[in-house]
Amino acid sequence: MLITFFEEFPTKPNLEKIKLITWPTKLYLAAKSLKQFKIIKSKIKNKNITEFIYWPILEIKEGYWISPFTKRSALKRIFNELKGTKTSVMLDLELPTTKNPKLYVTQLFNFHRNKQLIKEFIKNYPGKIYLAEYYPEGKRKEKFLQFLGLHYKTGNANIIKMAYHSVHHFNKDFIINELNRGKKEFGDKFLIAYGTIATGIEGKEALLSLAQLKEDLRIAKETGIKEVIIFRLGGLNQKYVEIMRRFS
């Protein structure tokens, strides 16, 4: 099972944690532009990293994450800069509720156009594409996420479900069922994200216990999940590494 990492804040101290990783891995690097991503990537020299994925983040005023409520000009800017490239990219599909709820009003007129813009990008992008989505909620609620433009079934995208046990208290049987359902529907394109082992943009996320990390990884491996992504690299320490190494 491949164990990889998100890094929302690719600073020098956070990126230095790469030295702790002794297995083949991938890095999902947040950046405000493709140019910035390439600069960050060029400074990382580590033979264990098999793939770098561009994770576009926006200004707070634009929505920070990607959704049909994101400022339209920001969506166009991100998608246009990727035209003619095959850079691996991850769209973090989340609503602007905690960062800029005013966008629900200012972008309401653009909702359907933005949703179609995102869908067309995902469908036609020639490079590898990943979609980070809200945690598993069952098939019925997934349809609601699809309506909101936060879940897309285009066939070519890798679907990442963010199941952060330190933030949400999932029932064990529910998670197992949802992982099995996701794998049945998307095959090896269904990935799971675990965490958090360091805080994100919210700055107040609880941290994942060692015992819970071990349980999460065990369930993923037994379910046959191809890749587990950990949020985030900067929180890596030797104790977390020892557990991850057993499952990688």
Side-chain angles (χ1 to χ4, degrees), residues 147-216:
F147 167 76
L148 288 176
L150 303 173
H151 177 67
Y152 297 87
K153 295 183 178 182
T154 59
N156 63 317
N158 296 277
I159 305 297
I160 303 169
K161 283 293 184 181
M162 297 181 283
Y164 297 161
H165 255 118
S166 65
V167 180
H168 305 285
H169 299 289
F170 299 110
N171 177 278
K172 179 180 175 181
D173 290 336
F174 173 79
I175 283 293
I176 292 173
N177 289 336
E178 285 300 298
L179 294 194
N180 281 319
R181 183 175 70 83
K183 185 164 176 56
K184 183 177 180 181
E185 184 172 1
F186 299 103
D188 286 341
K189 289 183 177 293
F190 181 78
L191 315 179
I192 195 75
Y194 286 142
T196 64
I197 65 170
T199 58
I201 190 63
E202 300 294 347
K204 57 184 179 182
E205 297 90 342
L207 302 187
L208 193 67
S209 69
L210 295 172
Q212 186 63 64
L213 174 63
K214 184 177 180 180
E215 177 73 357
D216 285 344

Coordinates of all heavy atoms in Angstrom, one line a residue, residues 147-216:
F147 N -24.6 17.3 -6.7 CA -25.5 18.5 -7.0 C -24.7 19.8 -6.7 O -24.8 20.7 -7.5 CB -26.8 18.4 -6.3 CG -27.6 19.7 -6.3 CD1 -28.2 20.1 -7.5 CD2 -27.6 20.5 -5.2 CE1 -28.9 21.3 -7.5 CE2 -28.3 21.7 -5.3 CZ -29.0 22.1 -6.5
L148 N -24.0 19.8 -5.6 CA -23.3 21.0 -5.2 C -22.0 21.2 -6.0 O -21.3 22.2 -5.8 CB -22.9 20.9 -3.7 CG -24.1 21.1 -2.7 CD1 -23.6 20.8 -1.3 CD2 -24.7 22.4 -2.8
G149 N -21.6 20.3 -6.8 CA -20.4 20.4 -7.6 C -19.2 20.1 -6.8 O -18.1 20.6 -7.0
L150 N -19.3 19.1 -5.8 CA -18.2 18.7 -5.0 C -17.9 17.2 -5.2 O -17.1 16.7 -4.4 CB -18.6 19.0 -3.5 CG -18.9 20.4 -3.2 CD1 -19.4 20.5 -1.7 CD2 -17.7 21.4 -3.4
H151 N -18.5 16.6 -6.2 CA -18.2 15.2 -6.5 C -18.5 15.0 -8.0 O -19.6 15.4 -8.4 CB -19.1 14.3 -5.7 CG -18.9 12.8 -6.0 ND1 -17.7 12.2 -5.7 CD2 -19.7 11.9 -6.6 CE1 -17.9 10.9 -6.1 NE2 -19.1 10.7 -6.6
Y152 N -17.6 14.5 -8.7 CA -17.7 14.3 -10.2 C -17.4 12.9 -10.6 O -16.4 12.3 -10.1 CB -16.8 15.3 -10.9 CG -17.1 16.7 -10.6 CD1 -16.6 17.4 -9.6 CD2 -18.0 17.4 -11.5 CE1 -16.9 18.7 -9.3 CE2 -18.3 18.8 -11.2 CZ -17.8 19.4 -10.1 OH -18.1 20.7 -9.9
K153 N -18.2 12.3 -11.4 CA -18.0 11.0 -11.9 C -17.7 11.0 -13.4 O -18.5 10.8 -14.3 CB -19.3 10.1 -11.7 CG -19.6 9.9 -10.2 CD -20.8 9.0 -10.1 CE -21.1 8.7 -8.6 NZ -22.3 7.8 -8.5
T154 N -16.4 11.4 -13.7 CA -16.0 11.5 -15.1 C -15.3 10.3 -15.6 O -15.0 10.2 -16.8 CB -15.2 12.8 -15.3 OG1 -14.0 12.6 -14.5 CG2 -15.9 14.0 -14.9
G155 N -14.9 9.4 -14.7 CA -14.2 8.2 -15.1 C -12.7 8.3 -15.1 O -12.0 7.3 -15.0
N156 N -12.2 9.5 -15.3 CA -10.7 9.7 -15.5 C -10.0 10.2 -14.2 O -8.8 10.2 -14.1 CB -10.4 10.6 -16.6 CG -10.9 12.0 -16.4 OD1 -12.0 12.2 -15.9 ND2 -10.1 13.0 -16.7
A157 N -10.8 10.6 -13.2 CA -10.2 11.2 -12.0 C -10.0 10.2 -10.9 O -10.8 9.2 -10.7 CB -11.1 12.3 -11.5
N158 N -9.0 10.4 -10.1 CA -8.8 9.7 -8.9 C -9.6 10.4 -7.8 O -9.4 11.6 -7.6 CB -7.3 9.6 -8.5 CG -6.5 8.9 -9.5 OD1 -6.4 7.7 -9.5 ND2 -5.9 9.6 -10.5
I159 N -10.4 9.6 -7.1 CA -11.3 10.2 -6.0 C -10.6 10.0 -4.6 O -10.4 8.9 -4.2 CB -12.7 9.5 -6.0 CG1 -13.3 9.6 -7.4 CG2 -13.5 10.2 -5.0 CD1 -13.5 11.1 -7.9
I160 N -10.4 11.1 -4.0 CA -9.8 11.0 -2.6 C -10.8 11.4 -1.6 O -11.4 12.5 -1.6 CB -8.6 12.0 -2.5 CG1 -7.5 11.7 -3.5 CG2 -8.0 11.9 -1.1 CD1 -6.5 12.8 -3.6
K161 N -11.2 10.5 -0.7 CA -12.1 10.9 0.4 C -11.3 11.2 1.6 O -10.5 10.4 2.1 CB -13.1 9.7 0.6 CG -14.2 9.6 -0.4 CD -15.1 10.7 -0.3 CE -16.3 10.6 -1.3 NZ -17.2 11.8 -1.2
M162 N -11.6 12.4 2.2 CA -10.9 12.8 3.4 C -11.6 12.3 4.7 O -12.5 12.9 5.2 CB -10.8 14.4 3.4 CG -10.1 14.9 2.2 SD -10.0 16.7 2.2 CE -11.6 17.2 1.6
A163 N -11.1 11.2 5.2 CA -11.7 10.6 6.4 C -10.8 10.9 7.6 O -10.0 10.0 8.0 CB -11.8 9.1 6.1
Y164 N -10.8 12.1 8.1 CA -9.9 12.5 9.1 C -10.6 12.1 10.5 O -11.4 12.8 11.0 CB -9.7 14.0 9.1 CG -9.0 14.5 7.8 CD1 -9.0 15.8 7.4 CD2 -8.2 13.6 7.0 CE1 -8.4 16.2 6.3 CE2 -7.6 14.0 5.9 CZ -7.6 15.3 5.5 OH -7.0 15.7 4.4
H165 N -10.1 11.1 11.1 CA -10.6 10.6 12.3 C -10.4 11.5 13.5 O -11.1 11.4 14.5 CB -10.0 9.2 12.6 CG -11.0 8.1 12.4 ND1 -10.7 7.1 11.5 CD2 -12.2 7.8 12.9 CE1 -11.8 6.2 11.4 NE2 -12.6 6.6 12.3
S166 N -9.4 12.3 13.4 CA -9.1 13.2 14.5 C -10.1 14.4 14.5 O -10.3 15.1 15.5 CB -7.7 13.8 14.5 OG -7.5 14.6 13.3
V167 N -10.8 14.6 13.4 CA -11.8 15.7 13.3 C -13.2 15.2 13.3 O -14.1 15.8 13.9 CB -11.6 16.4 11.9 CG1 -12.6 17.6 11.8 CG2 -10.1 17.0 11.9
H168 N -13.4 14.0 12.8 CA -14.8 13.4 12.7 C -14.8 12.0 13.4 O -13.8 11.2 13.2 CB -15.3 13.3 11.3 CG -15.2 14.6 10.5 ND1 -16.2 15.6 10.7 CD2 -14.4 15.0 9.6 CE1 -15.9 16.6 9.9 NE2 -14.8 16.3 9.3
H169 N -15.8 11.7 14.1 CA -15.9 10.4 14.8 C -16.7 9.4 13.9 O -17.9 9.3 14.0 CB -16.5 10.5 16.2 CG -15.7 11.4 17.0 ND1 -14.4 11.1 17.6 CD2 -15.9 12.7 17.5 CE1 -14.0 12.1 18.3 NE2 -14.8 13.1 18.3
F170 N -16.0 8.7 13.0 CA -16.6 7.8 12.2 C -16.9 6.4 12.9 O -16.0 6.0 13.6 CB -15.8 7.5 10.9 CG -15.6 8.7 10.1 CD1 -14.3 9.3 10.0 CD2 -16.6 9.3 9.4 CE1 -14.1 10.4 9.2 CE2 -16.4 10.5 8.6 CZ -15.2 11.0 8.5
N171 N -18.0 5.8 12.6 CA -18.2 4.4 13.0 C -17.4 3.5 12.2 O -17.3 3.6 11.0 CB -19.7 4.1 12.8 CG -20.0 2.7 13.2 OD1 -19.8 1.8 12.4 ND2 -20.5 2.5 14.4
K172 N -16.7 2.6 12.9 CA -15.7 1.7 12.2 C -16.4 0.9 11.1 O -15.9 0.8 9.9 CB -15.1 0.7 13.2 CG -14.1 -0.3 12.6 CD -13.6 -1.2 13.7 CE -12.7 -2.2 13.1 NZ -12.2 -3.1 14.2
D173 N -17.6 0.3 11.3 CA -18.2 -0.5 10.3 C -18.7 0.4 9.1 O -18.6 -0.1 8.0 CB -19.5 -1.2 10.9 CG -19.1 -2.3 11.9 OD1 -18.0 -2.8 11.8 OD2 -19.9 -2.6 12.8
F174 N -19.1 1.6 9.4 CA -19.5 2.5 8.3 C -18.3 2.8 7.4 O -18.4 2.8 6.2 CB -20.0 3.9 8.9 CG -20.3 4.9 7.9 CD1 -21.4 4.9 7.2 CD2 -19.3 6.0 7.7 CE1 -21.7 5.9 6.2 CE2 -19.6 6.9 6.8 CZ -20.7 6.9 6.0
I175 N -17.1 3.1 8.0 CA -15.9 3.4 7.2 C -15.5 2.2 6.4 O -15.2 2.3 5.2 CB -14.7 3.8 8.1 CG1 -14.9 5.2 8.6 CG2 -13.4 3.6 7.4 CD1 -14.8 6.3 7.5
I176 N -15.6 1.0 6.9 CA -15.3 -0.2 6.2 C -16.2 -0.4 5.0 O -15.8 -0.7 3.9 CB -15.3 -1.5 7.1 CG1 -14.2 -1.4 8.1 CG2 -15.2 -2.8 6.3 CD1 -14.2 -2.5 9.2
N177 N -17.5 -0.2 5.3 CA -18.5 -0.3 4.2 C -18.3 0.7 3.1 O -18.4 0.4 1.9 CB -19.9 -0.2 4.8 CG -20.3 -1.4 5.6 OD1 -19.8 -2.5 5.4 ND2 -21.3 -1.2 6.5
E178 N -17.9 2.0 3.5 CA -17.7 3.0 2.5 C -16.5 2.8 1.7 O -16.4 3.1 0.5 CB -17.7 4.4 3.3 CG -19.0 4.9 3.7 CD -20.0 5.1 2.5 OE1 -19.7 5.9 1.6 OE2 -21.0 4.4 2.5
L179 N -15.4 2.3 2.3 CA -14.2 2.0 1.6 C -14.5 0.9 0.6 O -14.0 0.9 -0.6 CB -13.1 1.6 2.5 CG -12.5 2.6 3.5 CD1 -11.2 2.2 4.1 CD2 -12.3 4.0 2.8
N180 N -15.2 -0.1 1.0 CA -15.6 -1.2 0.1 C -16.4 -0.7 -1.1 O -16.2 -1.1 -2.2 CB -16.3 -2.3 0.8 CG -15.3 -3.2 1.6 OD1 -14.3 -3.6 1.1 ND2 -15.7 -3.6 2.8
R181 N -17.4 0.2 -0.8 CA -18.2 0.8 -1.8 C -17.4 1.6 -2.8 O -17.6 1.5 -4.0 CB -19.3 1.6 -1.2 CG -20.3 2.2 -2.2 CD -21.5 2.9 -1.5 NE -21.1 4.1 -0.9 CZ -21.0 5.3 -1.6 NH1 -21.3 5.3 -2.8 NH2 -20.6 6.4 -0.9
G182 N -16.5 2.4 -2.2 CA -15.7 3.3 -3.1 C -14.8 2.5 -4.0 O -14.7 2.8 -5.2
K183 N -14.2 1.4 -3.4 CA -13.3 0.6 -4.2 C -14.1 -0.1 -5.3 O -13.6 -0.3 -6.5 CB -12.6 -0.4 -3.3 CG -11.6 -1.2 -4.1 CD -10.6 -1.9 -3.1 CE -9.6 -2.8 -3.9 NZ -8.9 -2.1 -5.0
K184 N -15.3 -0.6 -5.0 CA -16.2 -1.3 -6.0 C -16.6 -0.3 -7.1 O -16.6 -0.8 -8.3 CB -17.4 -1.8 -5.3 CG -18.3 -2.6 -6.2 CD -19.5 -3.1 -5.5 CE -20.5 -4.0 -6.4 NZ -21.6 -4.5 -5.7
E185 N -16.8 0.9 -6.8 CA -17.3 1.9 -7.8 C -16.1 2.5 -8.6 O -16.2 2.6 -9.8 CB -18.0 3.0 -7.2 CG -18.6 4.0 -8.1 CD -19.5 5.0 -7.5 OE1 -19.7 5.0 -6.3 OE2 -20.1 5.9 -8.2
F186 N -15.0 2.8 -8.0 CA -13.9 3.4 -8.7 C -12.6 2.6 -8.8 O -11.6 3.0 -9.4 CB -13.5 4.7 -7.9 CG -14.7 5.7 -7.9 CD1 -15.4 5.9 -6.7 CD2 -15.0 6.5 -9.0 CE1 -16.5 6.8 -6.7 CE2 -16.1 7.4 -8.9 CZ -16.8 7.5 -7.8
G187 N -12.6 1.4 -8.2 CA -11.4 0.6 -8.3 C -10.2 1.2 -7.7 O -10.3 1.8 -6.6
D188 N -9.0 1.1 -8.3 CA -7.8 1.6 -7.8 C -7.8 3.1 -7.9 O -6.8 3.8 -7.4 CB -6.6 1.0 -8.6 CG -6.3 -0.4 -8.2 OD1 -6.8 -0.8 -7.1 OD2 -5.6 -1.1 -8.9
K189 N -8.8 3.8 -8.5 CA -8.8 5.2 -8.5 C -9.5 5.8 -7.2 O -9.6 7.0 -7.1 CB -9.6 5.7 -9.7 CG -8.9 5.5 -11.1 CD -9.6 6.1 -12.2 CE -8.9 5.9 -13.5 NZ -7.7 6.8 -13.6
F190 N -9.9 4.9 -6.3 CA -10.5 5.4 -5.1 C -9.4 5.4 -4.0 O -8.8 4.3 -3.7 CB -11.6 4.4 -4.6 CG -12.3 4.8 -3.4 CD1 -13.2 5.9 -3.3 CD2 -12.0 4.2 -2.2 CE1 -13.8 6.3 -2.2 CE2 -12.6 4.6 -1.0 CZ -13.5 5.6 -1.0
L191 N -9.1 6.6 -3.5 CA -8.0 6.7 -2.5 C -8.6 7.3 -1.2 O -9.7 7.9 -1.2 CB -7.0 7.7 -3.0 CG -6.5 7.5 -4.4 CD1 -5.4 8.6 -4.8 CD2 -5.9 6.1 -4.6
I192 N -7.9 7.1 -0.1 CA -8.4 7.6 1.2 C -7.4 8.5 1.8 O -6.2 8.2 1.7 CB -8.8 6.4 2.1 CG1 -9.6 6.9 3.3 CG2 -7.6 5.7 2.6 CD1 -11.1 7.2 2.9
A193 N -7.8 9.6 2.4 CA -6.9 10.5 3.1 C -7.2 10.4 4.6 O -8.3 10.5 5.1 CB -7.1 11.9 2.6
Y194 N -6.1 10.3 5.4 CA -6.2 10.2 6.9 C -5.5 11.3 7.5 O -4.6 11.9 7.0 CB -5.6 8.8 7.4 CG -6.4 7.6 7.1 CD1 -5.8 6.4 6.7 CD2 -7.8 7.6 7.2 CE1 -6.5 5.2 6.5 CE2 -8.5 6.4 7.0 CZ -7.9 5.3 6.6 OH -8.6 4.1 6.4
G195 N -5.9 11.6 8.7 CA -5.2 12.7 9.5 C -6.1 13.1 10.6 O -7.1 12.4 11.0
T196 N -5.8 14.3 11.2 CA -4.7 15.1 10.8 C -3.5 14.9 11.8 O -3.8 14.7 13.0 CB -5.0 16.6 10.7 OG1 -5.4 17.0 12.1 CG2 -6.3 16.8 9.9
I197 N -2.3 14.9 11.2 CA -1.1 14.8 12.1 C -0.5 16.2 12.3 O 0.6 16.3 13.0 CB -0.1 13.8 11.6 CG1 0.5 14.2 10.3 CG2 -0.8 12.4 11.5 CD1 1.7 13.3 9.9
A198 N -1.1 17.2 11.7 CA -0.7 18.6 11.9 C -1.9 19.5 11.5 O -2.7 19.0 10.7 CB 0.5 19.0 11.0
T199 N -2.0 20.7 12.0 CA -3.1 21.5 11.7 C -3.1 22.0 10.3 O -2.0 22.2 9.7 CB -3.3 22.7 12.7 OG1 -2.0 23.4 12.6 CG2 -3.5 22.2 14.1
G200 N -4.2 22.4 9.7 CA -4.3 22.9 8.4 C -4.6 24.4 8.4 O -4.3 25.1 9.4
I201 N -5.3 24.9 7.4 CA -5.6 26.3 7.3 C -6.5 26.8 8.4 O -6.5 27.9 8.9 CB -6.2 26.7 5.9 CG1 -6.3 28.2 5.7 CG2 -7.5 26.0 5.8 CD1 -5.0 28.9 5.7
E202 N -7.4 25.9 9.0 CA -8.3 26.2 10.1 C -7.5 26.5 11.3 O -7.9 27.3 12.2 CB -9.3 25.1 10.3 CG -10.2 24.8 9.1 CD -11.1 25.9 8.7 OE1 -11.3 26.9 9.5 OE2 -11.7 25.9 7.6
G203 N -6.4 25.8 11.5 CA -5.5 26.1 12.6 C -5.9 25.5 14.0 O -5.3 25.7 15.0
K204 N -7.0 24.7 14.0 CA -7.5 24.2 15.2 C -7.9 22.7 15.2 O -8.5 22.2 16.1 CB -8.7 25.0 15.6 CG -9.8 25.0 14.6 CD -11.0 25.9 15.0 CE -12.1 25.9 13.9 NZ -13.2 26.8 14.3
E205 N -7.4 22.0 14.1 CA -7.7 20.6 14.0 C -7.0 19.8 15.1 O -5.9 20.0 15.4 CB -7.3 20.1 12.6 CG -8.0 20.7 11.5 CD -7.3 21.9 10.9 OE1 -6.5 22.5 11.6 OE2 -7.6 22.3 9.8
A206 N -7.8 18.8 15.7 CA -7.2 17.9 16.6 C -6.2 16.9 15.9 O -6.4 16.7 14.7 CB -8.3 17.1 17.3
L207 N -5.2 16.4 16.6 CA -4.2 15.6 16.0 C -4.6 14.1 16.2 O -5.1 13.7 17.2 CB -2.8 15.8 16.5 CG -2.3 17.3 16.4 CD1 -0.9 17.4 16.8 CD2 -2.5 17.8 14.9
L208 N -4.2 13.3 15.2 CA -4.5 11.9 15.1 C -3.7 11.1 16.1 O -2.4 11.3 16.1 CB -4.3 11.3 13.7 CG -4.9 9.9 13.4 CD1 -6.4 10.0 13.4 CD2 -4.4 9.5 12.0
S209 N -4.3 10.2 16.9 CA -3.5 9.4 17.8 C -2.7 8.3 17.1 O -3.1 7.9 16.0 CB -4.4 8.8 18.9 OG -5.2 7.8 18.3
L210 N -1.7 7.8 17.7 CA -0.9 6.7 17.1 C -1.8 5.5 16.9 O -1.7 4.8 15.9 CB 0.3 6.4 17.9 CG 1.3 7.5 18.0 CD1 2.4 7.1 19.1 CD2 2.0 7.8 16.7
A211 N -2.6 5.2 17.9 CA -3.5 4.0 17.9 C -4.5 4.1 16.7 O -4.8 3.2 16.0 CB -4.2 3.9 19.2
Q212 N -5.1 5.3 16.5 CA -6.0 5.5 15.5 C -5.4 5.4 14.1 O -6.0 4.9 13.2 CB -6.8 6.9 15.6 CG -7.9 7.1 14.7 CD -9.0 6.1 14.8 OE1 -9.7 6.0 15.9 NE2 -9.3 5.2 13.8
L213 N -4.2 6.0 14.0 CA -3.5 5.9 12.7 C -3.2 4.4 12.3 O -3.5 4.0 11.2 CB -2.1 6.6 12.8 CG -1.2 6.4 11.6 CD1 -1.9 7.0 10.3 CD2 0.1 7.1 11.8
K214 N -2.8 3.6 13.3 CA -2.6 2.2 13.1 C -3.8 1.5 12.6 O -3.8 0.7 11.7 CB -2.0 1.6 14.4 CG -1.6 0.1 14.2 CD -1.0 -0.4 15.5 CE -0.6 -1.9 15.4 NZ -0.1 -2.4 16.7
E215 N -5.0 1.8 13.3 CA -6.2 1.2 13.0 C -6.7 1.6 11.6 O -7.2 0.8 10.8 CB -7.3 1.6 14.0 CG -8.7 1.1 13.7 CD -8.9 -0.4 13.9 OE1 -7.9 -1.1 14.3 OE2 -10.0 -0.9 13.8
D216 N -6.5 2.9 11.3 CA -6.9 3.4 9.9 C -6.2 2.7 8.8 O -6.7 2.3 7.8 CB -6.7 4.9 9.9 CG -7.7 5.8 10.7 OD1 -8.8 5.2 11.0 OD2 -7.5 6.9 10.9

